[in-house]
Amino acid sequence: MRHFLNINKLSTKEMLLIIKQGHFLKKNYGKKFLEEKKILAMIFEKPSTRTRVAFEVGMKKLNGDVVILDQHESQLGRGESLQDTIKVLGRYVDIILYRGSDEKILYEISELSDVPIINGLTNNSHPCQIVADIMTLEEKFKDINKLKISWIGDGNNVCNSWIEAVNHYDFKLNISCPEGCFPSKKTLKESKSSHVNLFDKPSEAVKNADVVITDTWESMGIKKDKQKLKKFEKFRVDSELMLRTNKNSFFLHCLPAHRGCEVTDEVIDGKNSLVWDEAENRLYAHQSILLWCLENF
Ligand code: CP
Ligand code: NVA
């Protein structure tokens, strides 16, 4: 069964195929349909706008349909286990997306599910986002393998999935995070170490960068910590920081953005911001993931 659990669970061939199919879907919109109607169930234990809408619209446009379960309107909110829910859903639907906290639970449900599971974000990873992000960079650069990409901010889920992508490509990834917010040693150990460099100072990490990426300082479901937040003040992506990058560098952010915190209006609304293309590409990236999981290519 083809689960889409993490970037490092895909072979490089599979990763490149999913990206290629994403571009194809964007260019030849409407030419690809599911051979027979399939239903996607989505379980959200955390909020979502892009993931939810892009998967729903994407699935409907492929000729499929969607059901959505959240904590409040299903028996999950009254304590029915996720595991039991997954077993039941497998009798009704063809594929399931799960957004939750614990990565271990994601793997657990993939073991017992009768249908493919898509990782819609956990505290540790966000692989769907990376497919859209890579598509977005490929639209701007001839060869993304030659890029220097800088990650500034919190080294958690989206950053971890970027680190996993390094194993499929040849780009360099510079990561700068406040003390205590760097990606885990385990994640770093599993990546191509020659291609990932850690920096204490954002100004050093963005030197000659082609792409700067950031994310919220306060991720969903993570306990608010004022002391920790203070440490992020020096990690704001502003025009001054962008001046240190290569001349034609671009800015990415998975969104939602907290303007004035991790990024200034000037940068996110600037001419080198790709965030709206990036959000648009979620649609095609997710259609591609659905078609791959459902073995349509
Ligand atoms: N980037 C992203 O996953 O957005 P949502 O939380 O709105 O789905
Ligand atoms: N790191 C963010 C990503 C949101 C898409 C979060 O987990 O809230």
Side-chain angles (χ1 to χ4, degrees):
M1 211 184 331
R2 289 187 181 173
H3 298 299
F4 184 83
L5 296 180
N6 263 313
I7 299 292
N8 66 359
K9 294 288 168 206
L10 300 170
S11 67
T12 298
K13 193 175 162 201
E14 288 170 328
M15 176 76 184
L16 298 185
L17 259 178
I18 291 170
I19 301 276
K20 193 173 161 196
Q21 183 70 24
H23 287 301
F24 173 87
L25 285 156
K26 189 168 180 179
K27 284 197 192 95
N28 300 277
Y29 203 74
K31 284 206 181 140
K32 190 94 192 166
F33 290 109
L34 287 162
E35 277 148 30
E36 54 181 284
K37 193 176 181 101
K38 302 270 180 184
I39 310 293
L40 163 71
M42 296 198 273
I43 302 174
F44 287 100
E45 292 177 0
K46 289 179 173 182
S48 170
T49 297
R50 280 143 288 269
T51 307
R52 177 180 167 149
V53 178
F55 267 105
E56 178 160 355
V57 172
M59 189 61 169
K60 286 181 171 167
K61 289 202 168 184
L62 290 173
N63 215 16
D65 216 331
V66 184
V67 282
I68 298 175
L69 283 89
D70 66 26
Q71 297 279 29
H72 311 294
E73 287 165 6
S74 69
Q75 298 287 9
L76 283 166
R78 294 183 59 245
E80 184 170 17
S81 80
L82 177 67
Q83 287 77 355
D84 288 355
T85 308
I86 293 288
K87 281 194 225 163
V88 173
L89 288 182
R91 304 286 173 111
Y92 301 142
V93 305
D94 304 286
I95 182 161
I96 299 170
L97 175 138
Y98 171 67
R99 171 172 282 198
S101 299
D102 192 341
E103 184 96 350
K104 263 196 248 142
I105 290 179
L106 170 79
Y107 280 89
E108 246 177 71
I109 60 169
S110 73
E111 292 284 318
L112 58 83
S113 177
D114 291 329
V115 298
I117 299 286
I118 296 174
N119 175 0
L121 177 147
T122 71
N123 288 354
N124 287 339
S125 56
H126 195 6
C128 291
Q129 182 70 50
I130 302 307
V131 177
D133 289 9
I134 290 194
M135 280 178 64
T136 309
L137 294 184
E138 284 186 346
E139 289 172 342
K140 291 288 168 195
F141 296 97
K142 247 194 205 134
D143 183 4
I144 69 160
N145 290 302
K146 298 207 171 87
L147 298 182
K148 190 192 256 188
I149 300 176
S150 298
W151 177 275
I152 307 297
D154 201 1
N156 68 343
N157 45 14
V158 182
C159 179
N160 289 341
S161 293
W162 265 108
I163 294 171
E164 292 185 6
V166 171
N167 291 329
H168 298 307
Y169 293 92
D170 212 24
F171 55 74
K172 298 279 187 323
L173 185 63
N174 286 355
I175 300 173
S176 182
C177 313
E179 199 194 329
C181 299
F182 277 96
S184 73
K185 283 201 178 114
K186 185 176 170 285
T187 308
L188 290 166
K189 226 170 116 191
E190 285 166 8
S191 73
K192 225 190 294 172
S193 57
S194 57
H195 285 53
V196 180
N197 290 298
L198 306 182
F199 295 82
D200 293 325
K201 289 190 181 156
S203 55
E204 291 295 315
V206 301
K207 248 189 221 166
N208 305 319
D210 303 293
V211 182
V212 176
I213 318 176
T214 190
D215 186 10
T216 178
W217 294 342
E218 289 186 293
S219 281
M220 295 179 279
I222 308 292
K223 225 174 129 201
K224 293 207 183 298
D225 180 344
K226 274 196 183 150
Q227 282 310 104
K228 185 180 156 199
L229 215 53
K230 262 196 204 150
K231 294 200 265 181
F232 277 97
E233 281 297 323
K234 292 191 187 124
F235 291 78
R236 178 171 297 113
V237 179
D238 56 16
S239 305
E240 206 183 312
L241 193 70
M242 290 304 283
L243 274 178
R244 295 178 161 268
T245 63
N246 268 346
K247 216 173 172 193
N248 286 317
S249 63
F250 289 102
F251 173 72
L252 290 182
H253 189 312
C254 63
L255 304 177
H258 301 78
R259 289 162 176 263
C261 291
E262 74 271 10
V263 63
T264 58
D265 287 340
E266 231 180 339
V267 172
I268 196 170
D269 297 327
K271 66 177 181 21
N272 288 357
S273 167
L274 296 180
V275 300
W276 317 116
D277 291 348
E278 185 185 5
E280 179 187 347
N281 286 334
R282 299 288 302 275
L283 178 60
Y284 307 103
H286 299 352
Q287 285 188 314
S288 182
I289 292 166
L290 286 164
L291 289 172
W292 179 76
C293 289
L294 294 168
E295 305 197 24
N296 277 248
F297 67 91

